[in-house]
Amino acid sequence: MSHLTDAPYDTASLLGGLDLARLRHTVHSGATLSLGRRREHLAALRRLVVEHEDEINAAVTADVGKPALEVRLTETWTIVQEIDTLLAHLERWTAPRTVPVPVALQPASARVHLQPKGVVLVIAPWNYPVQLLLSPLAGALAAGNTAVLKPSEITPRVAELLARLVAKHLPPEVVQVVTGGVPGTTALLERRFDHIVFTGSTEVGKVVMRAAAEHLTPVTLELGGKSPTFVDATMDATVVARRIAWGKFVNAGQTCIAPDYVLVTSEARDPLLAALREAVQEFFGADPRTSSDLGRIVNGRHHERLVGLLGGHGGEVVVGGEHDAQDRYFVAPTVIADPYPSAPLMQEEIFGPILPVLTVADAEAGAEFMREREHPLALYVFSSDEKVRRTFEQRTTSGG
Ligand code: NAD
């Protein structure tokens, strides 16, 4: 604890009334070993989401500019589904399992007992600010843990609302919320937790892992990156374009597993570009700015970053390209054909509605392109050729 007093700022005030000892005592007392108690916590979390769905939706829309249906589909309904799955499987997933013992240890018998870890810290990003805070919480509660939640400061209405709702629905000996930005999170990470679930950028993931190492705290890091997509001529371009456009432009491209860029074979290139143009028009109309289905960029800093990526790429803008910081940070769904692979657009995670499409000779060249870069979070292959699919399955590495 001595490093806390050494800190250059007043960490206690940054952490509000955080009472870690109280959270830890709940687990140590054995109170959360009972599945009945865990079910109560999950039911309370479910009520929090269901009873306040409209308030939650309004806060997300106000903070991120997400259309209401998207909020339900990607935030509230997802959490309720997660809780229902946990409730349905809780007994089976937590049951002790008998395991064989080696001959040398017989006649002993062995069983695996699953135990709560203790206090779990959940740090969430802003792009799915409710789901990525409350879904890890549901898992932590199902496993008999208590938790500290740190919502993103970039979505302040959501953070304030969730702090209020958690205090209303869940007891403070089970869940506490700490709001604030980098100084607060830095102070929080100096404290000892029993597990940390962090969802956010790779850069901050490194900061979290370094802080966790001080206490040898295990971490679950859900990070970002450039998720590639491969397309060849063996599939219907219209179907492929619609699927890519949905994955790329939902939440205005601010999704960790959004297709970041597309590698397309030369014979599939023109049909795909034409079909992408049609898909964007079908989804968002002739003027996407007026579409109620298109989300907005979260803030001025990210808008500026995306506008920067729209220049100096050396490619051809075949769809979109318009932007307007005054219109709640609007960026049109944009497709850029054949930018330089060295352009900033192809170096950093785009995290916005801009889709570069690069031409490659074949699947082998596509896989090689992907292997030369960091392992992606997700990788998408649109091909009905079994050999091509195997190439990507066996010769590339990705989260999914
Ligand atoms: P971020 O890394 O900037 O912030 C995430 C959280 O870390 C926030 O709560 C923030 O307050 C905190 N934080 C920021 N800087 C910090 C620092 N220096 N020290 C300690 N804490 C700090 O990420 P973001 O911009 O909120 O979210 C976007 C990123 O998250 C993208 O890279 C995206 O791909 C990724 N992401 C990943 C997943 C996944 O499941 N893998 C899901 C959603 C988003």
Side-chain angles (χ1 to χ4, degrees):
M1 288 292 154
S2 64
H3 51 274
L4 270 184
T5 44
D6 294 337
Y9 36 74
D10 176 5
T11 53
S13 69
L14 284 171
L15 299 180
L18 176 69
D19 187 350
L20 270 183
R22 193 170 180 191
L23 290 165
R24 192 158 275 120
H25 174 75
T26 305
V27 181
H28 287 173
S29 71
T32 60
L33 288 177
S34 124
L35 295 193
R37 185 78 184 269
R38 297 186 199 181
R39 283 203 182 89
E40 277 170 25
H41 296 159
L42 288 170
L45 182 59
R46 196 182 193 283
R47 277 197 302 279
L48 180 161
V49 176
V50 173
E51 285 176 15
H52 302 276
E53 193 179 7
D54 290 344
E55 270 174 273
I56 293 173
N57 285 353
V60 176
T61 301
D63 274 343
V64 197
K66 237 185 252 199
L69 180 65
E70 265 185 36
V71 183
R72 287 186 204 282
L73 206 62
T74 63
E75 306 262 16
T76 46
W77 292 351
T78 309
I79 301 162
V80 170
Q81 228 171 19
E82 175 109 359
I83 293 171
D84 289 346
T85 304
L86 288 165
L87 284 169
H89 297 283
L90 193 61
E91 189 148 359
R92 190 162 59 82
W93 285 350
T94 54
R97 286 194 300 272
T98 306
V99 289
V101 288
V103 157
L105 293 181
Q106 283 178 10
S109 63
R111 262 184 315 230
V112 175
H113 283 275
L114 302 177
Q115 292 182 312
K117 284 192 152 193
V119 187
V120 177
L121 170 63
V122 180
I123 303 179
W126 53 263
N127 64 329
Y128 291 92
V130 185
Q131 185 216 134
L132 295 174
L133 192 74
L134 298 189
S135 285
L137 171 64
L141 294 177
N145 300 292
T146 55
V148 174
L149 305 182
K150 213 302 284 179
S152 171
E153 70 281 12
I154 294 181
T155 43
R157 294 176 189 85
V158 173
E160 186 277 324
L161 176 67
L162 291 180
R164 193 158 51 75
L165 296 182
V166 165
K168 177 175 173 193
H169 287 270
L170 286 149
E173 65 273 17
V174 177
V175 187
Q176 294 172 29
V177 180
V178 173
T179 55
V182 175
T185 318
T186 306
L188 200 54
L189 285 168
E190 287 173 0
R191 311 296 290 269
R192 186 188 193 109
F193 292 92
D194 301 296
H195 195 96
I196 300 176
V197 182
F198 169 81
T199 307
S201 62
T202 304
E203 261 337 287
V204 179
K206 292 177 189 172
V207 174
V208 170
M209 198 162 179
R210 269 196 292 272
E214 273 304 306
H215 300 290
L216 295 178
T217 298
V219 291
T220 302
L221 302 179
E222 289 284 352
L223 308 178
K226 290 181 86 64
S227 296
T229 302
F230 175 80
V231 179
D232 69 16
T234 61
M235 287 188 68
D236 184 297
T238 303
V239 174
V240 174
R242 286 171 59 100
R243 291 181 186 174
I244 293 175
W246 152 251
K248 179 70 186 188
F249 301 124
V250 67
N251 200 21
Q254 300 163 115
T255 303
C256 55
I257 52 166
D260 187 276
Y261 63 91
V262 175
L263 300 180
V264 62
T265 57
S266 45
E267 66 274 29
R269 177 190 184 273
D270 291 347
L272 179 70
L273 291 175
L276 279 168
R277 194 177 297 116
E278 276 171 30
V280 169
Q281 168 123 15
E282 184 193 347
F283 291 0
F284 305 109
D287 181 8
R289 185 194 299 260
T290 58
S291 166
S292 57
D293 296 323
L294 181 70
R296 291 296 188 262
I297 306 309
V298 70
N299 60 24
R301 185 170 63 83
H302 280 283
H303 188 266
E304 215 171 285
R305 181 182 63 76
L306 289 168
V307 171
L309 295 181
L310 285 171
H313 48 69
E316 182 198 350
V317 177
V318 292
V319 180
E322 306 84 16
H323 53 84
D324 182 358
Q326 303 308 314
D327 180 6
R328 282 211 62 182
Y329 311 123
F330 162 79
V331 174
T334 297
V335 179
I336 298 175
D338 295 309
Y340 305 128
S342 59
L345 185 67
M346 288 303 298
Q347 300 303 312
E348 61 178 82
E349 179 182 13
I350 296 172
F351 222 56
I354 305 171
L355 182 69
V357 178
L358 289 85
T359 313
V360 289
D362 52 21
E364 196 44 63
E368 172 86 29
F369 190 97
M370 295 175 193
R371 278 198 301 271
E372 283 167 354
R373 288 158 176 81
E374 291 289 336
H375 293 161
L377 202 55
L379 190 161
Y380 304 95
V381 176
F382 291 94
S383 174
S384 55
D385 183 336
E386 201 47 50
K387 220 171 109 228
V388 165
R389 289 148 75 140
R390 245 195 332 271
T391 297
F392 287 97
E393 266 167 28
Q394 296 177 348
R395 313 270 315 283
T396 63
T397 305
S398 60

